[in-house]
Amino acid sequence: MTSKTLKNLRPMGGALTDMHIAHGVFVAEAPQGAEVVDCGGRIVIPGMVEAHTHLDKSLLGLPWYRNEVGPRLIDKIDNEREVKVSLGLDPQVQSERHAILAMSHGCTHIRSHVDVDTHHGLAGIEGVMATREKLAGMVDIEIVAFPQSGLMTRPGTAELMDEALALGADLVGGIDPCGMEHDPKGHLDTVFALAEKHGKPVDIHLHERDALGWFSMEEIIDRTVALGMQGKVSISHAFCLGAVDRAYVAGLQEKLAENRIHILTTAPSSAPVPLVKELKALGILTGAGCDGIRDTWGPFGNSDMLEKAKVIAMRNNLRRDDEVELALDICTYGGAAVMGVEGYGLTPGCRADCVLVEGETLAEAVVTHAPRWLALKGGSVIARDGACVIEAP
């Protein structure tokens, strides 16, 4: 039932009020015959936005995987490609399990990077697309065709990327043009050519640090300008923005702001991270994600974006209540803005995607990240008491 009156709740931790839903959107007046839900004074926030994850590769529901992988990025990439075969990983099943876990925490929008390579072809894309269709109306899933094993280093991948985009992938992905590909011009030319051909936005993984990352970022900026793609390019991770040389980083960030290039952070503990207060001050749209969870790369993660807000706050030394609220904003409004979600928010006319959280204030809700009391998608319940209303396969 999508017509509801949510009584006794506090939008974004504000004053106690009632909110109304009709035909899947928030409305100003109570609709006739609406279901009444007493929210007990809880805080309501918009649905959580997981703007950087990998739905196709989680090991959720499988026996424990013993991780003995080498330390380099390429070690993890090569190992994962092989283990997907040895474990018989089904990207549809794994992506559904992962998405349902995210929904249990109040996530209503997901951007997932999905591997495209000459080893597995389009199996990941097809699997996640099947999950997207199966869960339609409960969670919105955006798919990035992601050449994790390389474009230039694995001939034939560019053609598969082309097929993935024609099949229905929403964005063109990329990865470390220098450190991974050793061919920044070839890699970025291919990524942006695919984007231009299909009229798709771009989201590039950039793990490269310091000067190497700065060089790649400048190349991304140059192509964004040359193709008039301002507002349609995102850079994920962007570890190089966490470098010690703040003067150089400041110049890069000004260029990012000028050309409306977005940043998506995963706030890992093992790498420098973009300083979100600086990005906010420049008006750079910033979202966040849990990255890969419970996979061959590492055993951690639970796809809880409220907990991720806490991690972002800790990694950025955000301590004041208003600073912690910034971390939450990145995991809600920020991610939605990067993804171009229309009708996002809590005001009349917005899509009724929301989650009821525990706490006296937004900061307390982030810090405790207690199980979500209720989560709605288009006015329909998708989770109660921290559990999704549908079971994982």
Side-chain angles (χ1 to χ4, degrees):
M1 185 175 185
T2 59
S3 293
K4 292 180 173 63
T5 289
L6 306 177
K7 295 186 67 66
N8 302 318
L9 43 59
R10 295 178 292 132
M12 303 306 292
L16 200 66
T17 189
D18 300 339
M19 294 176 63
H20 312 289
I21 300 169
H23 307 295
V25 301
F26 290 115
V27 294
E29 303 292 335
Q32 187 174 5
E35 175 188 7
V36 177
V37 180
D38 189 336
C39 299
R42 291 177 175 85
I43 295 173
V44 61
I45 62 175
M48 306 300 299
V49 179
E50 163 62 277
H52 181 105
T53 194
H54 298 266
L55 291 178
D56 58 316
K57 56 184 64 179
S58 165
L59 303 179
L60 288 167
L62 299 179
W64 183 257
Y65 169 75
R66 184 175 180 83
N67 190 332
E68 297 176 318
V69 183
R72 300 174 304 164
L73 180 69
I74 192 63
D75 295 332
K76 296 173 177 62
I77 291 171
D78 289 346
N79 174 73
E80 180 182 62
R81 199 169 52 245
E82 299 300 328
V83 169
K84 282 180 180 179
V85 175
S86 63
L87 292 181
L89 214 64
D90 183 332
Q92 190 284 312
V93 172
Q94 296 311 123
S95 60
E96 185 178 352
R97 288 170 174 169
H98 185 159
I100 286 173
L101 179 61
M103 291 161 58
S104 76
H105 298 305
C107 182
T108 57
H109 295 82
I110 298 172
R111 174 181 287 185
S112 176
H113 296 254
V114 181
D115 288 3
V116 174
D117 61 53
T118 54
H119 202 78
H120 298 281
L122 301 180
I125 295 287
E126 291 166 343
V128 178
M129 287 183 69
T131 290
R132 175 168 67 180
E133 182 176 354
K134 185 174 183 179
L135 299 180
M138 301 189 74
V139 63
D140 292 339
I141 297 175
E142 194 175 66
I143 296 173
V144 185
F146 178 46
Q148 178 165 267
S149 293
L151 273 170
M152 313 313 293
T153 55
R154 296 180 72 87
T157 303
E159 290 75 13
L160 287 169
M161 290 278 289
D162 191 28
E163 290 183 45
L165 294 160
L167 194 62
D170 303 291
L171 293 94
V172 185
I175 186 169
D176 296 341
C178 297
M180 176 71 183
E181 292 277 53
H182 299 173
D183 185 357
K185 184 180 187 305
H187 180 82
L188 292 175
D189 283 352
T190 302
V191 166
F192 279 88
L194 287 167
E196 186 176 28
K197 175 181 177 180
H198 292 274
K200 305 281 188 178
V202 167
D203 187 340
I204 297 177
H205 279 58
L206 191 60
H207 308 94
E208 297 164 358
R209 305 186 188 189
D210 299 316
L212 190 63
W214 298 338
F215 171 79
S216 291
M217 190 169 282
E218 287 168 340
E219 291 292 303
I220 293 168
I221 294 169
D222 288 347
R223 284 165 176 78
T224 300
V225 173
L227 293 176
M229 289 188 64
Q230 292 88 343
K232 298 180 180 179
V233 175
S234 300
I235 300 176
S236 288
H237 299 302
F239 296 154
C240 63
L241 294 183
V244 174
D245 188 344
R246 302 313 299 165
Y248 199 98
V249 169
L252 269 179
Q253 291 179 164
E254 289 175 2
K255 292 179 182 179
L256 295 174
E258 179 183 352
N259 293 289
R260 304 196 312 279
I261 295 174
H262 318 317
I263 297 297
L264 293 163
T265 182
T266 58
S269 59
S270 57
V273 297
L275 303 186
V276 297
K277 288 176 70 175
E278 292 184 6
L279 301 182
K280 173 74 172 180
L282 289 167
I284 297 172
L285 293 184
T286 305
C290 294
D291 207 1
I293 67 161
R294 315 266 186 94
D295 55 20
T296 63
W297 290 54
F300 307 113
N302 58 9
S303 207
D304 184 349
M305 289 305 295
L306 197 58
E307 182 180 53
K308 179 56 67 171
K310 175 183 175 180
V311 173
I312 291 169
M314 294 174 69
R315 289 291 284 119
N316 282 269
N317 194 28
L318 306 180
R319 298 170 181 266
R320 292 164 45 108
D321 277 39
D322 58 338
E323 293 176 331
V324 177
E325 290 171 13
L326 168 60
L328 176 60
D329 184 78
I330 288 167
C331 296
T332 51
Y333 286 96
V338 170
M339 289 176 61
V341 177
E342 296 182 356
Y344 182 87
L346 299 176
T347 56
C350 289
R351 182 79 174 165
D353 299 346
C354 62
V355 57
L356 277 293
V357 299
E358 308 286 349
E360 293 183 27
T361 66
L362 289 173
E364 184 179 13
V366 169
V367 169
T368 59
H369 51 274
R372 312 304 107 85
W373 184 73
L374 193 71
L376 305 177
K377 175 69 176 172
S380 295
V381 175
I382 60 171
R384 283 192 179 92
D385 297 321
C388 189
V389 296
I390 59 173
E391 293 186 5

